[in-house]
Amino acid sequence: MKSALRSTPLLMIVPSLLLAMFIIGYPIIDLAWTSLQEVSRFGQLRGFNGWDNFAEVFSDPLFYGSLWRTVIWTVAVVGGTLLLSLPIALILNDEFYGRGLARVIIMLPWAISLTMTAVVWRWGLNGRAGLLNATLMDLHLIAEPVEWLATAPMAFATEILIGILVSIPFTTTIFLGGLSSMPQDAYEASMVDGAKRWDQLRYLTLPLMRPFINIAIVLNVIYVFNSLPIIWVMTEGGPANGTDILVTYLYKLAFRFGQLGKASAISLIMFGVLLVFTIIYVVMVMRAEDDGGAAGEASK
Amino acid sequence: MMFQKWKALAFSAIAAGLLGAAAPVQAQTQVNFTVAEYSSKTGPYFEEVAAAFEKQNPDIHINLQVVPWDTLLQRLTTDIAGGTAPDISIIGTRWLLDFAGQGIAEPVDAYLTPEFKSTFIDTFMAPSVIDGKIMGLPVAASARAMMVNMDLFDKAGVKPPTNWDEFYAAAKKLAAVPDTFAFGLQGKEIETDAYYYYSLWTHGGDILKADGTSGLDTPEALEAVKLYKTMIDEGLTQPSPTNYTREDVFNMFKQGKLGMIFTFPMLIPQIKAEAPDLHYQILPFPEGKAKATYGVTDTLMVFSSSKVKDAAWKFIEFAYKDEWRSKFDHGEGFLPVTKNVAAEPYYTTDPDIAGFAAGLPYAKFAPTIANWEEIADTTVRTMQQIYLGQVAPEEALKGAAAEINKIRGL
């Protein structure tokens, strides 16, 4: 009787569990299935070819180049986003005149699709007709137009900056949520003990914010690692593949060159990398829940 | 429009119901036709053709699907993989080999009467012939040519060039005109390779050698790219070509900032609308060891999986009538693929169109070979490396040739 009672909740979640497993699992299984086969130009499966697709991926110098740039891209965008979002969130958390407006302005880029943002920037960064060069020249900051997207290092750095810009709203929101759940009595107690604002930040806010920062890192890594629009719209991975990351390279392979087998192999490798991060995420949430308090709020 | 169709459908359904099962409900043959969207005129044009055809053939219904070029191949790929391929489709001729090789394209020799076949200009029919079989019909064609800004040439006091030596000398003089650049060189995204082929072909080189291996490791290919690289280094092109797509270069030309560009006929209606005061002239590509232009065709293909090939062919024959072809070519700014339209005065006397059409006798086409997109991308990457100065031209071209041969399995 008792055991039947205990299994009732489990039984009740079985249908939704099965549905979730189907929705999440089916594409992955299909992908794995495809990655082990020879696939025609038009997506027709032509029988198993073992690990050929993977062997081809691992012998491709462009794959390693793209992998390395994916790491730079992810670390730089996520790192830059965190470094900027934390002070922004701290400022927006303070009471000041026009705070509501300031919050809206910070959040606005979120309302525009990533692709549109990238298209607008592509126009804005155009060497001869772009608004950015025109503005900088009017301000006499530069004498000659700068060709922002002409060389790979410059183009990649520009794309990283835009990546940071569009990631700030989401990250700031997480941090603002964290800051508003800070226990006020701790701050009052610290003031009684004579703590300065810097001490409060260093010894109270940052440690209490740790679970939020962790979550922001993991979620951003997943989004940024997989993000196609900015790079694809602005340079299509060029010039000379110098701004290709895994997801743009994969898109090119699949839909330009028709190498769907190789593309699904890369896709599966990317899934594996993200799986590791997801596991880290789960571990973090569980650890944070063990700590209780503020972190518990976040997972609600 | 849609609503009326539904109303008509509902009405006939009711009528059929009233008359009972005895009434013969006319079975319409449905033909699915995927159309590539060249411009905003493409969809309405084909709707008009289909409507006129359906009027004559009430038993056949044409279902049009207008798809933008950028997503066309992806769309057809998903349709074929999902088993819902259309009956006929417009495709880029460069994809035809892949379609034919996979058994997706149906040879049309059996349907093509000698009379119908004779209406086509042979040059444009040739790229659709694979292993001696005609795998589709040319549906659109364009050729490339040089376009020069006569105002800038007058200012610089030079005459438009006819060969590469004159071209280089003219560029030197044009460079002295302030706030402008002599030569617009494309270095970003789609067709960056085509801009190089213009030079490659006229220097006497080719994309593939006679034995099928890449022609990029030849002295002609090196000479062709060295000319561009020298012009970049000497400031005869706009700075940093790798930041300029085809459209960017054309836009600069419209603004009167470039002396010479290489372009297609579709630019002319744009210039007439956006920069009517521009004094331009269409000229053949500068000559080196050879005369050449880049001919580009699109193909109308019948799918082997189609169950209504006869009805589809009936529609194709209808759509290739002179009045329709003429309207299509005029509307989109293409060069005619049929002899009767090509004989129209417009195509022989209009200096712009005649300038483009003049190159047709010696036009070169992208080779119909497997994995063409990948080979083109390799060429684009190589050009960008050379333009940026990352790799020396000779070394870069040798590497590219080896890579292309590997892609071709040679």
Side-chain angles (χ1 to χ4, degrees), chain A residues 7 10 32 35 54 57 66 73 79 81 87 89-90 110 112 115 122 134 142 152-153 166 174 194 214 218 228 242 269:
Chain A
S7 62
L10 270 178
S35 73
F54 288 90
V57 168
S66 306
W73 162 256
T81 305
L90 286 171
W110 210 354
I112 304 163
T115 313
R122 185 184 161 128
I142 52 171
V166 298
I174 294 184
N214 286 340
V218 174
L228 173 82
I269 294 167

Side-chain angles (χ1 to χ4, degrees), chain A residues 13-283:
Chain A
I13 63 163
V14 160
S16 48
L17 192 70
L18 282 178
L19 188 70
M21 273 168 68
F22 176 74
I23 290 171
I24 301 165
Y26 174 71
I28 295 168
I29 290 167
D30 198 45
L31 194 68
W33 185 252
T34 312
S35 73
L36 294 175
Q37 302 207 40
E38 194 189 331
V39 189
S40 86
R41 181 84 185 72
F42 303 104
Q44 294 149 320
L45 302 180
R46 288 283 152 87
F48 286 95
N49 62 355
W51 300 99
D52 280 8
N53 290 327
F54 288 90
E56 216 179 303
V57 168
F58 289 123
S59 66
D60 183 352
L62 286 177
F63 169 74
Y64 294 102
S66 306
L67 183 64
W68 174 234
R69 274 185 297 273
T70 310
V71 173
I72 299 176
W73 162 256
T74 312
V75 170
V77 173
V78 175
T81 305
L82 292 176
L83 283 180
L84 285 173
S85 296
L86 198 60
I88 290 173
L90 286 171
I91 293 168
L92 289 180
N93 196 44
D94 277 346
E95 286 283 354
F96 61 88
Y97 184 73
R99 182 174 78 160
L101 187 68
R103 280 190 175 185
V104 169
I105 291 172
I106 291 287
M107 297 304 151
L108 263 185
W110 210 354
I112 304 163
S113 90
L114 221 51
T115 313
M116 269 327 290
T117 312
V119 169
V120 169
W121 274 105
R122 185 184 161 128
W123 289 339
L125 290 169
N126 186 296
R128 298 279 145 184
L131 215 57
L132 185 66
N133 275 341
T135 311
L136 291 177
M137 279 165 78
D138 280 350
L139 295 171
H140 299 288
L141 290 173
I142 52 171
E144 278 288 303
V146 179
E147 303 283 354
W148 299 100
L149 304 176
T151 58
M154 183 84 128
F156 202 45
T158 311
E159 283 161 352
I160 285 172
L161 289 179
I162 293 165
I164 291 172
L165 192 74
V166 298
S167 307
I168 283 177
F170 170 70
T171 316
T172 307
T173 309
I174 294 184
F175 288 166
L176 275 176
L179 286 170
S180 60
S181 66
M182 295 281 131
Q184 282 308 311
D185 43 0
Y187 284 90
E188 280 158 19
S190 73
M191 275 201 293
V192 172
D193 290 344
K196 302 254 164 45
R197 279 209 67 158
W198 174 252
D199 299 325
Q200 285 183 340
L201 177 69
R202 175 79 184 74
Y203 298 105
L204 264 179
T205 312
L206 285 185
L208 284 170
M209 282 291 282
R210 225 183 62 199
F212 295 94
I213 295 173
N214 286 340
I215 286 165
I217 290 175
V218 174
L219 286 180
N220 270 312
V221 162
I222 293 171
Y223 295 148
V224 173
F225 185 86
N226 269 331
S227 179
L228 173 82
I230 296 174
I231 294 183
W232 187 255
V233 168
M234 291 179 63
T235 54
E236 291 189 1
N241 294 75
T243 58
D244 253 333
I245 61 171
L246 282 178
V247 67
T248 57
Y249 184 52
L250 162 95
Y251 188 86
K252 230 179 274 182
L253 279 176
F255 297 116
R256 281 241 172 111
F257 307 159
Q259 299 180 357
L260 294 151
K262 193 173 165 189
S264 43
I266 294 185
S267 192
L268 208 62
I269 294 167
M270 289 179 67
F271 171 72
V273 174
L274 279 183
L275 193 67
V276 173
F277 274 101
T278 315
I279 290 167
I280 293 174
Y281 172 67
V282 171
V283 169

